[in-house]
Amino acid sequence: MSDEGSFYQRDRNWHPPAFSPQYKTTVLRSPQYPLLSLEGTVSEMTGPVFGHGKLGALDNDLIRNYAKTGDPIGQRIIVYGRVLDENGRPVPGALLEFWQANAGGRYRHRKESYLAALDPNFGGCGRAITDDEGRYWFRTIKPGAYPWPNGVNDWRPAHIHFSIFGHAFAQRLITQMYFEGDPMIWQCPIVSTIPDRAAVEQLIAALDRENTLPMDALAYKFDIVLRGRRSTMFENRMEGN
Amino acid sequence: MVQKLGRLKESPSQTAGPYVHIGATPNWVEITGVWKEDLGLVLVGPETKGERVVVKGRVFDGSGTPLKDALIEIWQADAEGLYNSLQERRGQADPHFAGWGRQPTDGATGEFKFETIKPGRVPYKDGRPMAPHITFWIVARGINVGLHTRMYFGDEETANAECPVLARIEHKVRVQTLIASRSEENGIPTYTFDIHLQGEKETVFFDI
């Protein structure tokens, strides 16, 4: 068995509830029975390992990793931050995958029907592994807002999707990053599945003028917090907290 | 005022949306040339130890319609019951078996399929062996927080009967929602694990 404690219970009042009728697709896709509470076993407290060898040189450069004839159209940005756990400790070796629409709000996907143009030089996917201090960064184009078939006229604010692997399958998380100052965040039925305003604000990346690249790219800082675990001082784990 | 505990809050989950495959399996959705191969599509190679099995199924919504835009991840022990993880303290797992797999549900039929091995038994927190199982994680448009569940093997009646996790399910009629039925297809043991998000057959999902 693992010699570390279990993960903190997930705060289900902080996360969006499964059944969120303003986001219509949840209505038929939300479990109705209560979830079975289970203190983590080795099956949940372990997780897959992804080494840096899996990554290609351009995996964290969405400006270049699909480019065919030149750079993609749109505002160049850098997104950077740290992956931490709820104890504030960095999570090194975390695999992050991100995907997004192009500057016009169009995804490169066969089932996408929005009439904005595809950008021949933008694929919309990237990935990174955090360093020893839990840091990651990537370069991309700021995605556009787009309409989606929920209400007759619902629009999604500009956002980037993130999938994060921590050190345990219990930490598995998919979330989205929004951009500081975007008024559309507060009109989105998906954002508003999150009940607590402070929780929404945790998903809004701050514009960081000090880390912009002059005459090149704006920077946004986006830290991600994964679940923490108990670390009661035991004889076999003297470092404690 | 008391001292502050100084903890952070977990980043709130958001739906994976309909296009999770752009980020998770880009080659599968024809975004090619960005990375060579999608992660998690292949679990076993010629040197992997253990009995080859196929695990397949579909994910149904509350109307009985299969999801065609879901992404399924599995996490399982090797044939000896060890996980290929830095957090595994009990021994060294089979280096030829990562234990993690990822498959999209088919865009036309909604079926997912994993070619894997049957896992060994791993201990519950008190040391009793759990029945062989595969951990599932399901994300899709309309699923606000990824759903954790487990698949057990229909031909492991004895182990299933003594599994401390299955024993925790108060509503015994629901235990069957976690047990995959076994058949043979092309001579390979094949387990069918259909997942129901809602309705009378709603799968038991876990808050872990």
Side-chain angles (χ1 to χ4, degrees):
Chain A
M1 293 290 279
S2 167
D3 55 6
E4 291 171 273
S6 323
F7 285 87
Y8 302 145
Q9 178 175 320
R10 196 161 244 166
D11 182 352
R12 298 267 168 187
N13 296 318
W14 184 254
H15 287 283
F19 180 68
S20 303
Q22 80 275 21
Y23 173 21
K24 291 180 181 173
T25 310
T26 68
V27 171
L28 288 176
R29 295 185 170 193
S30 47
Q32 305 288 296
Y33 286 98
L35 305 179
L36 180 71
S37 299
L38 178 67
E39 191 178 353
T41 74
V42 67
S43 299
E44 292 79 32
M45 287 157 68
T46 52
V49 181
F50 302 96
H52 289 266
K54 291 274 186 204
L55 301 190
L58 295 178
D59 282 6
N60 69 340
D61 188 353
L62 282 71
I63 292 178
R64 290 280 158 73
N65 70 15
Y66 191 82
K68 305 284 195 287
T69 59
D71 284 351
I73 300 292
Q75 184 180 51
R76 300 156 66 88
I77 62 171
I78 290 162
V79 178
Y80 79 95
R82 295 173 80 198
V83 180
L84 304 166
D85 70 14
E86 287 171 289
N87 298 313
R89 292 198 189 105
V91 183
L95 173 69
L96 288 82
E97 298 162 304
F98 14 89
W99 65 100
Q100 62 169 97
N102 69 24
R106 170 81 180 248
Y107 283 100
R108 183 169 290 281
H109 194 285
R110 199 190 311 160
K111 291 185 177 175
E112 161 74 282
S113 59
Y114 179 35
L115 49 73
L118 270 176
D119 184 331
N121 293 310
F122 193 72
C125 62
R127 55 187 179 177
I129 291 178
T130 56
D131 70 12
D132 288 345
E133 294 174 64
R135 295 177 302 199
Y136 75 92
W137 73 274
F138 63 96
R139 192 168 79 143
T140 187
I141 295 294
K142 188 172 180 183
Y146 59 83
W148 60 298
N150 185 65
V152 173
N153 186 22
D154 280 336
W155 288 69
R156 300 250 34 230
H159 64 278
I160 300 176
H161 296 264
F162 279 74
S163 163
I164 308 106
F165 289 85
H167 294 170
F169 216 57
Q171 290 179 309
R172 199 75 185 80
L173 181 69
I174 282 183
T175 189
Q176 299 180 27
M177 178 194 118
Y178 304 98
F179 291 85
E180 177 180 357
D182 184 349
M184 294 178 68
I185 294 169
W186 307 102
Q187 303 169 24
C188 172
I190 286 177
V191 174
S192 62
T193 60
I194 298 174
D196 188 321
R197 186 180 175 98
V200 174
E201 287 171 345
Q202 192 172 337
L203 298 183
I204 303 176
L207 173 65
D208 180 4
R209 280 290 305 271
E210 301 306 327
N211 273 309
T212 58
L213 294 180
M215 305 301 285
D216 183 346
L218 284 175
Y220 286 89
K221 174 176 176 283
F222 185 58
D223 287 344
I224 297 162
V225 180
L226 300 181
R227 293 172 70 185
R229 59 195 307 179
R230 300 186 187 104
S231 57
T232 313
M233 182 92 82
F234 290 115
E235 283 181 34
N236 61 353
R237 196 167 176 279
M238 290 306 288
E239 68 271 29
N241 282 309
Chain B
M1 288 285 281
V2 300
Q3 296 182 11
K4 295 204 183 307
L5 290 171
R7 297 224 171 85
L8 305 175
K9 294 292 283 184
E10 186 186 13
S11 296
S13 177
Q14 289 275 262
T15 175
Y19 303 136
V20 58
H21 311 103
I22 293 175
T25 51
N27 291 292
W28 188 78
V29 287
E30 295 156 24
I31 300 174
T32 56
V34 179
W35 48 79
K36 267 186 285 190
E37 56 188 37
D38 295 336
L39 293 175
L41 289 185
V42 178
L43 282 111
V44 293
E47 296 175 87
T48 308
K49 298 186 184 77
E51 181 192 10
R52 264 46 175 187
V53 300
V54 168
V55 171
K56 65 173 193 178
R58 289 183 290 175
V59 183
F60 295 93
D61 73 12
S63 78
T65 306
L67 273 60
K68 297 171 183 172
D69 57 356
L71 183 76
I72 315 288
E73 290 185 2
I74 62 170
W75 174 238
Q76 64 167 97
D78 69 8
E80 302 296 323
L82 293 169
Y83 283 96
N84 198 334
S85 163
L86 295 174
Q87 278 64 46
E88 175 59 84
R89 316 287 187 207
R90 299 168 298 146
Q92 175 66 51
D94 179 357
H96 303 292
F97 184 61
W100 175 76
R102 172 147 87 179
Q103 293 282 345
T105 56
D106 185 89
T109 67
E111 187 171 89
F112 64 82
K113 182 176 167 186
F114 292 94
E115 294 175 15
T116 183
I117 55 145
K118 198 167 178 184
R121 297 177 76 168
V122 299
Y124 189 55
K125 56 183 181 169
D126 61 8
R128 284 181 289 164
M130 297 188 282
H133 63 274
I134 297 177
T135 295
F136 272 67
W137 192 66
I138 302 133
V139 292
R141 173 174 67 101
I143 295 178
N144 281 336
V145 184
L147 293 166
H148 284 274
T149 188
R150 285 182 173 195
M151 186 203 102
Y152 287 83
F153 295 80
D155 55 340
E156 293 281 349
E157 292 92 345
T158 309
N160 291 342
E162 64 190 26
C163 178
V165 172
L166 290 178
R168 292 213 33 210
I169 300 173
E170 177 186 356
H171 306 102
K172 295 302 172 199
V173 292
R174 302 193 65 212
V175 171
Q176 282 303 318
T177 68
L178 300 183
I179 297 179
S181 60
R182 179 184 158 121
S183 60
E184 296 258 331
E185 287 184 17
N186 306 316
I188 300 171
T190 300
Y191 294 88
T192 302
F193 184 51
D194 285 336
I195 296 162
H196 295 266
L197 300 179
Q198 274 181 9
E200 283 180 23
K201 292 187 278 187
E202 182 177 313
T203 301
V204 174
F205 297 104
F206 292 85
D207 188 7
I208 55 172

